[in-house]
Amino acid sequence: MIPADRLQQIRERFEYLEARMAEGGGDIAALGREYAELKPVVDQIAEWNRLQADLSEAEEMLADPEMKALAEEELPALRARLPEAEKALQLALLPRDAADARPAILEIRPGTGGEEAALFAGDLARMYQRYSEARGWRWEVIEEQDTELGGLKELVVRIEGENVFARLKFESGVHRVQRVPETESGGRIHTSAATVAVLPEAEAVDIDIAPGDLRIDTMRSSGAGGQHVNTTDSAVRITHLPTGLVVTSSEKSQHRNREIAMNVLRARLYDMERQKADDARASDRRAQVGSGDRSERIRTYNFPQGRMTDHRIGLTLYRLEAILSGDLDEIVDALTANAQAAQLAEMGA
């Protein structure tokens, strides 16, 4: 059972926010964000209360000879809906990841497999770009290095939109492909891999970076595939000395490059802090979906069988072409549901 006093506190907080927003006082943006977060919870509480009231009323009707038949007709449906409503309310009450609504930094790099791994990294990049376009998100390339055959050496992208990190955070890990490489003439199936990292964008208040901890270098900015070089030293490379993290940005504006590189650096440092917090919170965190372990093999894309398998939840789908075209919602929804089930289990719900 869900404690009634907790539900009452949520309703009272929601009513307080509603009143403050109507008055126009305080930080309207902050009030609006909290209001938007609480509204679906309050709506679910109202549905839960309504079903309980309907059930109590129907049970009372059993004592009335004239209403008994109607009550007996309504009770089975009400009793069946109540557990569903309770489960939905429990999910609504789960602690939210503070980073879920933030933009994300997506990083893709080839792993084992040489040029074929670089080509597969390019396939993953197109998959995520199409998914972003389908959801109306903004896709901004920060750093991109291509190979001569059209693969990717590295891609760093900022993605902005509604619930970007919430939808992409389970993509971090090693993605494996099994197919006949375009570079292979013998027709043998090869296995190669690419790594994906999804980091929530950090705000300046999240991470305090001392100026003395940075080394900032400027260099000449090269175009795609190194085909041309700008005449000015506009590219920026920032090294975070305490951790050894290195970030580069190669846009035409040196000022913009510095801003972009700092954003990526903050995101990586913020992600490191989140990982430390996760590890401290549960010793088995790395075994759970969403651990963000970059070395974990999370998914296999098997071209001969047209099959995609997510190894964390045992999900196998035989529509590989659609998935690589950006149709990821079924996978994301399944991973989200699994993570929510794990949270409920931890809470003893």
Side-chain angles (χ1 to χ4, degrees), residues 230-280:
N230 292 346
T231 56
T232 58
D233 294 336
S234 63
V236 170
R237 179 175 60 215
I238 298 179
T239 304
H240 186 245
L241 300 175
T243 62
L245 287 175
V246 179
V247 179
T248 60
S249 181
S250 305
E251 293 293 313
K252 293 182 180 179
S253 164
Q254 186 177 124
H255 177 76
R256 176 64 176 149
N257 281 332
R258 186 179 294 241
E259 178 185 347
I260 291 171
M262 283 300 298
N263 284 343
V264 175
L265 178 61
R266 271 195 296 267
R268 291 182 183 173
L269 292 172
Y270 181 53
D271 182 64
M272 289 172 65
E273 291 300 316
R274 284 167 54 87
Q275 293 295 311
K276 288 179 186 176
D278 281 348
D279 292 343

Side-chain angles (χ1 to χ4, degrees), residues 124-187:
L124 291 177
R126 285 183 287 275
M127 178 181 77
Y128 291 122
Q129 184 171 12
R130 289 165 183 163
Y131 183 61
S132 298
E133 290 169 352
R135 297 191 70 86
W137 295 341
R138 183 185 175 203
W139 174 278
E140 179 187 7
V141 175
I142 293 175
E143 184 72 16
E144 182 175 10
Q145 296 183 43
D146 300 328
T147 66
E148 292 182 359
L149 296 180
L152 276 180
K153 290 181 181 177
E154 178 184 36
L155 178 68
V156 181
V157 178
R158 179 182 184 269
I159 308 174
E160 183 178 7
E162 183 178 358
N163 291 328
V164 170
F165 184 68
R167 299 296 292 176
L168 292 180
K169 63 183 177 181
F170 301 123
E171 296 301 303
S172 291
V174 176
H175 294 241
R176 186 177 68 168
V177 63
Q178 295 173 328
R179 65 182 176 187
V180 178
E182 296 178 21
T183 55
E184 174 66 52
S185 59

Side-chain angles (χ1 to χ4, degrees), residues 288-332:
Q288 297 175 11
V289 172
S291 68
D293 187 345
R294 307 291 181 254
S295 64
E296 179 187 5
R297 187 195 69 184
I298 64 168
R299 197 173 293 160
T300 296
Y301 305 77
N302 184 292
F303 275 69
Q305 298 178 22
R307 166 174 55 84
M308 185 287 314
T309 298
D310 194 290
H311 304 290
R312 296 164 295 179
I313 56 175
L315 175 67
T316 296
L317 300 174
Y318 287 89
R319 48 183 195 86
L320 183 58
E321 185 176 345
I323 290 167
L324 288 172
S325 295
D327 186 1
L328 298 177
D329 277 335
E330 184 176 359
I331 304 169
V332 173

